[in-house]
Amino acid sequence: MGRALIMHIDDAPWVRGGPRGEGDHPDGGGQLVGDLEKGPWVHVNWLPGGLVAPKHSHDHDEIIFILEGGFSMGRRKCGPGTVVYLEADTQYGFEVWPEGVRFLNIRQGHATYTEAGGTSVDPYESGEA
């Protein structure tokens, strides 16, 4: 038997940080729709302007859909409506535009975060997602 999950993204529980403009969240915030361990899930993220995500990879394929603001990946500018598909183990980084960014991140389950050079962390334990 299948399952269905229906939830408005604004009602999703916070798994990292909190809402923009509410409290001190210098690294942004993230909400989760779905099952982190079993997947699939949608992580609703916001990141503050100027934040730089260093080159890193994840062990799951992922899709990023930008809702508001944007970021640059190298020379590529990714604004509202942009879809980014990244295969597992693809190294990437980005720089958030001055106004910040809000985006959906879709994965099949709990993914590791490995920075260029080999440092792996669990973003849901370290607060980095």
Side-chain angles (χ1 to χ4, degrees), residues 28-107:
Q31 297 165 272
L32 187 72
V33 176
D35 187 317
L36 177 64
E37 296 299 327
K38 291 191 254 178
W41 53 256
V42 177
H43 194 200
V44 185
N45 292 283
W46 73 268
L47 299 172
L51 184 134
V52 176
K55 283 201 171 215
H56 66 283
S57 64
H58 302 279
D59 64 348
H60 281 35
D61 293 352
E62 66 181 302
I63 298 168
I64 297 171
F65 180 78
I66 298 179
L67 300 168
E68 302 168 8
F71 56 70
S72 296
M73 296 178 81
R75 288 185 272 154
R76 186 68 191 239
K77 297 194 180 303
C78 303
T82 301
V83 176
V84 179
Y85 170 74
L86 298 155
E87 288 185 349
D89 303 315
T90 299
Q91 291 236 340
Y92 70 99
F94 56 84
E95 184 172 346
V96 178
W97 295 354
E99 66 270 29
V101 65
R102 185 172 187 223
F103 62 95
L104 304 178
N105 182 255
I106 304 160
R107 289 201 188 110

